[in-house]
Each structure stands twice: as structure tokens, then as C-alpha cells.
Amino acid sequence: MNHKIEIERQINQSSSVFADMVSHCSESMNQAATLMIEAIRNGKKILWCGNGGSAAQAQHLSTELVGGLRDHERPAIPSISLTTDSSFLTAWSNDTDFNSVFSRQISALGQKGDVLVGITTSGNSENVLLAIDTAEEMGIHTIIFTGKDGGKIKEKGNMTITIPSDDTQRIQEGHILCGHILCELVEKSL
């Protein structure tokens, strides 16, 4: 079976979303980069959270800051993915609830002036919503990566980057593009 037509359709669809991001996301990404750069310059850190594919992206992007996206010789940038402590994640979820799994970590690890990046393709992830609320109560700046119509989270956060798509795969592709650009801007600012 030849899958070329479907492959080309999906590549074209992805390219179209990326093209739409130029007008829909550039300004919010610029403001997000400024928040992140100011936090790092002030000795603060970047925290990341999300579920499923967004959890994987949170880990990926946090690693880019600590390890180096393009420059492995530069100083490490303080960044923590709240999706990586499996003992805490499973114990807390088992003993209490899953909705507060990120907010609890923010309470322990976050400091005023840090930045939290919450990633949710639907904008409706309860644990990311609660994480944003907790961060804001603590004076932590918040950046939201979302898509579709923005969901419940669209009215929250200091900065919201909404990928102009209703397709979860295309939204996730947009999130990783945004994240890579932001990490590179932070890295170049050092």
C-alpha cells in the first residue's frame, strides 16, 4: 500500500499550522521569552508541567535549558520538569489525588519570581489549572501552552500561547516548536 498521499497531507497540514503560528503566536512568544530571560537573570528558575505527551515535552524542554540546546559549554540554566519524580507522582496520586500533583511540587520547589510553563493541548487539564493557580498565589510568573479554543485555562496565566489548531498532534508539534524557540532565546540571552 502506498501511504504517500496521507504522508503529504499531514506534512502540509503541519506546515499550515506553523505558518499560522507566525501571526497567532509570535507576540505572545516574545513576551514569554522576556519573562523567562528576566527570571534567569534574576537568579530564578523555570518549572514545567503537563500530562502525557505534554509531560514528555516538559521534560524535553527542561533538559534543553539545563544541558544546552545549541551551546553545551554555557552555564547550566536552572530548570525543573515536575513530571519526572515517579516516586512522588505515584505516592501523591495514590494517597491524595492526581489534580494536585503539580501544585504540591510548586509549593515545595517554587519561589517568587520563578516561571512556570504549563502545557495542556486542551486547556482543560485540572492539575495544570491548579498548578497555575498555586504559582500565581506564590508570585511565580506563568506561561501557558495550549491549543484549540484555549479551554478553561485561556483566561489564566501571565502569557498564553495558543496553537491555532484543533488537532492534538498539530498542537503538540506547535508546542515543541515554541519551546525550542524560547529555550534558544533564553540560551542566547546569557
Side-chain angles (χ1 to χ4, degrees), residues 2-155:
N2 188 345
H3 302 286
K4 187 175 180 217
I5 292 172
E6 178 61 15
I7 291 166
E8 290 174 356
R9 184 191 71 76
Q10 289 204 33
I11 291 170
N12 286 327
Q13 186 183 56
S14 184
S15 296
S16 176
V17 171
F18 282 1
D20 289 345
M21 286 173 61
V22 173
S23 61
H24 286 87
C25 301
S26 294
E27 183 54 36
S28 54
M29 288 173 63
N30 181 55
Q31 293 174 19
T34 299
L35 275 178
M36 294 171 78
I37 290 165
E38 287 177 3
I40 297 304
R41 286 185 176 161
N42 289 323
K44 300 302 180 180
K45 64 188 164 296
I46 312 297
L47 303 166
W48 305 80
C49 68
N51 298 292
S54 298
Q57 289 185 340
Q59 291 174 230
H60 178 139
L61 295 167
S62 180
T63 297
E64 300 291 20
L65 291 179
V66 174
L69 181 66
R70 295 193 187 271
D71 181 2
H72 295 99
E73 301 300 318
R74 65 148 168 86
I77 297 170
S79 184
I80 301 169
S81 174
L82 303 177
T83 65
T84 59
D85 186 342
S86 60
S87 294
F88 173 77
L89 294 172
T90 56
W92 188 259
S93 297
N94 184 61
D95 296 345
T96 59
D97 69 274
F98 189 64
N99 286 344
S100 60
V101 73
F102 299 135
S103 59
R104 181 66 173 193
Q105 291 179 85
I106 291 164
S107 296
L109 303 171
Q111 296 175 324
K112 184 176 182 178
D114 287 345
V115 173
L116 170 67
V117 182
I119 308 172
T120 168
T121 58
S122 68
N124 296 319
S125 301
E126 290 297 329
N127 55 6
V128 177
L129 284 157
L130 188 55
I132 296 295
D133 290 342
T134 299
E136 290 179 339
E137 289 169 10
M138 294 176 63
I140 295 170
H141 304 290
T142 53
I143 298 169
I144 298 162
F145 288 11
T146 191
K148 301 183 182 183
D149 65 359
K152 295 178 196 174
I153 210 164
K154 70 182 171 189
E155 301 300 324

